[in-house]
């Protein structure tokens, strides 16, 4: 934990590196949502706690050219979303679930939560957020899963 750093960079006016203490100092929010995996399972009523993604945007000040953010994870996983998708009020970088600190298997110390998207958009073990002007396809998106990943449109595979 002492060694954890979240790097926020790319097309931003203010690249930052946040320590764990810095992250805990950011405004904390809770958001209740359901979680849907593209494989067909769901977990309902998760109470996530963490920092709204909009706080990260506010800190980093993306340039006019930035339209996406790519999330890089400790295990080498990546995924990306548009800044519009990430601006939703229920999009969090979460460090807690149901009143407890995140367990390692659930993305400790910090994971993305994007309730309106299939679970492969919710990156676990996030270490870097890179703002980009071009879309970069993530790990599953490169392997044929939908890049829009909209749960309500049952939008599972790219076509
Ligand atoms: N870093 C990282 N994040 C990841 C993955 C991964 O392999 N590595 N898998 C994704 C997929 S396919 C799913 S279904 C969800 C699972 O999240 P959960 O463990 O909270 O259910 O994590 C997503 N985020
Ligand atoms: Mo998944």
């Amino acid at each position: 934990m002492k060694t954890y750093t979240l790097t926020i960079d790319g097309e931003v006016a203010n690249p930052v590196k946040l320590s764990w203490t810095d992250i805990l100092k950011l405004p904390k929010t809770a958001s209740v949502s359901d979680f849907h995996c593209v494989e067909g399972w769901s977990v309902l009523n998760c109470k996530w706690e963490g920092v709204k993604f909009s706080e990260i945007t506010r800190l980093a000040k993306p340039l006019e050219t930035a339209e996406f953010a790519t999330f890089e994870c400790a295990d080498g996983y990546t995924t990306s979303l548009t800044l519009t998708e990430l601006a939703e009020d229920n999009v969090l970088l979460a460090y807690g679930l149901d009143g407890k600190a995140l367990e390692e298997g659930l993305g400790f110390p910090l994971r993305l939560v994007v309730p309106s998207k299939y679970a492969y958009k919710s990156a676990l073990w996030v270490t870097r957020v890179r703002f980009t002007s071009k879309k970069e396809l993530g790990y599953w998106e490169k392997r044929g899963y939908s890049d829009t990943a909209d749960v309500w449109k049952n939008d599972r595979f790219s076509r």
Side-chain angles (χ1 to χ4, degrees), residues 36-39 41 77 118-120 140 145:
H36 307 275
C37 180
V38 69
E39 302 276 282
W41 50 265
Y77 189 83
Y118 281 120
Y120 57 88
W140 284 118
Y145 283 91

Side-chain angles (χ1 to χ4, degrees), residues 79-113:
T79 191
S80 65
L81 288 136
T82 68
L83 296 189
T84 315
E85 291 164 340
L86 289 166
E88 292 291 316
D89 229 32
N90 58 6
V91 174
L92 302 190
L93 278 173
Y95 46 72
L97 176 61
D98 298 329
K100 286 177 285 194
L102 274 190
E103 285 163 28
E104 175 128 12
L106 286 174
F108 169 90
L110 198 67
R111 67 168 297 163
L112 186 65
V113 177

Side-chain angles (χ1 to χ4, degrees), residues 13-141:
N14 183 35
V16 276
K17 283 187 190 281
L18 301 176
S19 70
W20 190 245
T21 335
D22 296 334
I23 290 167
L24 295 181
K25 277 188 209 142
L26 294 174
K28 180 177 175 179
T29 5
S31 157
V32 176
S33 56
D34 302 337
F35 195 59
H36 307 275
C37 180
V38 69
E39 302 276 282
W41 50 265
S42 300
V43 189
L44 305 182
N45 253 318
C46 303
K47 185 173 176 242
W48 298 104
E49 286 149 346
V51 179
K52 276 189 197 173
F53 190 81
S54 56
E55 288 293 335
I56 302 296
T57 313
R58 194 179 53 79
L59 270 177
K61 304 190 170 50
L63 303 176
E64 288 274 301
T65 50
E67 282 184 48
F68 307 89
T70 295
F71 293 80
E72 298 182 2
C73 309
D75 62 344
Y77 189 83
T78 55
T79 191
S80 65
L81 288 136
T82 68
L83 296 189
T84 315
E85 291 164 340
L86 289 166
E88 292 291 316
D89 229 32
N90 58 6
V91 174
L92 302 190
L93 278 173
Y95 46 72
L97 176 61
D98 298 329
K100 286 177 285 194
L102 274 190
E103 285 163 28
E104 175 128 12
L106 286 174
F108 169 90
L110 198 67
R111 67 168 297 163
L112 186 65
V113 177
V114 190
S116 66
K117 301 290 178 182
Y118 281 120
Y120 57 88
K121 289 290 182 184
S122 288
L124 312 173
W125 314 297
V126 175
T127 53
R128 184 172 179 196
V129 183
R130 202 159 33 77
F131 288 80
T132 66
S133 55
K134 295 213 176 75
K135 182 199 295 293
E136 296 179 359
L137 289 181
Y139 180 87
W140 284 118
E141 295 87 336

Side-chain angles (χ1 to χ4, degrees), residues 120 139-147 156-159:
Y120 57 88
Y139 180 87
W140 284 118
E141 295 87 336
K142 275 187 205 148
R143 288 162 177 79
Y145 283 91
S146 162
D147 186 53
R156 289 161 193 247
F157 302 103
S158 58
R159 55 206 119 168

